[in-house]
Amino acid sequence: MNSVMETPAANLPRPSAWPRFCVFLAAPPVLLFVLSTIITIDLSGVIEGIKRALDGNALRTIVQARLAAEIDRGGELPTEALADEHALAAYLARLGLDDAKSWFSVFDPLRGTGEMSKSILVSAASGAERSINPDFQRRPLAWAVALVPSISKLPPRTPVAWTRGLRSDGRWRADSLYPEKGGHVVFADGHVVRFRKLADGEFFKWGSSERTSNVAEALPPGTRIGETNPGSDHAVVSLWQNWLDWVDGLAWLLGGVSLLYVTCRSSINPQCSSLARELSTLVSVACTIAAYAGLFRLFGIVNGY
């Protein structure tokens, strides 16, 4: 009769506690990375949305100041206030809206890094009319305005001010503030709307109920538009920046997916040690987050969020 020798349990090799201990040590940094990635994605979108909302408020403030000026002065602005967008800003500044920040945006690629003047007008001797600040005069403004004598006499749905760079097809130029994300439009009744594009026709042609995406067709015939047109060089720079943002999002997506594939293969490979498999599982979570971050970034660029 064959006898089977049993090994005492005390003599069996005990699994090492080091692999699992190392995994527990590595888990907090990985989880912090995942949480920081999520928070960064959420907060960056929230902060950017708040800044764009502030742009809309600044544009609405300008239109409200203009409406108040027209009411106080018989319903129309003088000719000298309608020479261009800088002249209108200077005119409203003499009536109280002397904050230069109202006419600029932190998103403007032409804003520059130099210190910006805080006021639109310069100081003058007592009793003398204040002239426009040369620093303000030379800077491109973030908004376009309809240079009509009176916006208070226009139909309520007439656009009177909008984010710079609005094209005749209802899209914004590449040298605008956030070209792929649209812009703001303020109407004659003072309300502001943010659009991603106006391709479906959000305006009404002047004197009719026909819809249009061309802002010039929604204004009285012959209306001049005060707008800084930086030119094609700036458009190329802005377009190049958009391509860089797109490539950055694509790199996050492809890098995350590639590393996720490698780590998943490692986590189920029986030839790998238990430590390597568990670490691969943790890293795969971070790779998944990175892939989703790239996907959300590409989705935001394409759709203009």
Side-chain angles (χ1 to χ4, degrees):
M1 185 174 181
N2 297 329
S3 61
V4 178
M5 297 182 61
E6 296 184 359
T7 305
N11 297 330
L12 289 175
R14 296 181 179 179
S16 175
W18 279 104
R20 190 163 297 277
F21 179 71
C22 292
V23 169
F24 282 123
L25 287 180
V30 174
L31 292 177
L32 286 176
F33 170 78
V34 173
L35 291 176
S36 63
T37 303
I38 296 174
I39 293 173
T40 300
I41 295 174
D42 291 341
L43 287 183
S44 61
V46 170
I47 293 174
E48 186 173 338
I50 292 174
K51 289 180 179 179
R52 284 201 297 267
L54 291 176
D55 282 351
N57 289 335
L59 192 54
R60 178 169 48 199
T61 299
I62 292 172
V63 173
Q64 290 175 343
R66 179 174 176 176
L67 286 170
E70 291 180 7
I71 294 174
D72 292 342
R73 283 153 182 79
E76 291 188 358
L77 297 185
T79 305
E80 59 269 20
L82 304 175
D84 56 28
E85 67 275 15
H86 287 90
L88 177 61
Y91 180 81
L92 296 179
R94 295 186 183 97
L95 300 179
L97 187 61
D98 193 24
D99 186 4
K101 292 185 296 183
S102 300
W103 291 86
F104 300 108
S105 170
V106 295
F107 292 100
D108 197 343
L110 308 178
R111 192 169 183 262
T113 57
E115 184 177 357
M116 185 179 299
S117 59
K118 296 182 179 180
S119 61
I120 299 173
L121 306 175
V122 296
S123 302
S126 179
E129 184 177 76
R130 298 172 64 191
S131 60
I132 191 169
N133 191 324
D135 178 63
F136 180 82
Q137 178 77 55
R138 67 178 177 83
R139 292 181 181 270
L141 305 185
W143 322 122
V145 292
L147 298 174
V148 294
S150 174
I151 62 174
S152 58
K153 299 178 181 179
L154 298 176
R157 287 288 298 176
T158 305
V160 295
W162 52 91
T163 303
R164 186 191 71 219
L166 182 58
R167 307 185 312 192
S168 59
D169 64 355
R171 300 177 183 272
W172 271 264
R173 296 193 311 260
D175 56 20
S176 185
L177 307 186
Y178 15 85
E180 299 299 327
K181 296 180 174 63
H184 296 90
V185 177
V186 184
F187 295 89
D189 60 359
H191 81 279
V192 58
V193 180
R194 178 177 172 263
F195 297 99
R196 282 194 297 173
K197 61 181 180 179
L198 299 163
D200 298 330
E202 298 292 343
F203 304 143
F204 293 98
K205 288 187 177 181
W206 180 255
S208 74
S209 59
E210 182 181 355
R211 289 189 174 273
T212 180
S213 299
N214 189 344
V215 66
E217 295 179 347
L219 295 168
T223 298
R224 294 184 303 108
I225 295 176
E227 177 180 14
T228 303
N229 189 347
S232 59
D233 291 341
H234 297 294
V236 171
V237 172
S238 182
L239 185 61
W240 175 248
Q241 184 61 49
N242 290 338
W243 275 103
L244 290 179
D245 292 341
W246 187 85
V247 170
D248 179 60
L250 183 62
W252 273 86
L253 176 60
L254 295 181
V257 171
S258 300
L259 291 176
L260 179 61
Y261 175 77
V262 173
T263 52
C264 287
R265 288 290 299 267
S266 300
S267 63
I268 61 175
N269 188 353
Q271 296 181 354
C272 294
S273 63
S274 59
L275 174 61
R277 290 198 300 269
E278 293 184 23
L279 287 178
S280 297
T281 302
L282 290 175
V283 174
S284 65
V285 176
C287 294
T288 304
I289 297 297
Y292 274 111
L295 182 62
F296 291 153
R297 183 170 180 81
L298 285 176
F299 183 79
I301 292 172
V302 172
N303 291 277
Y305 290 115

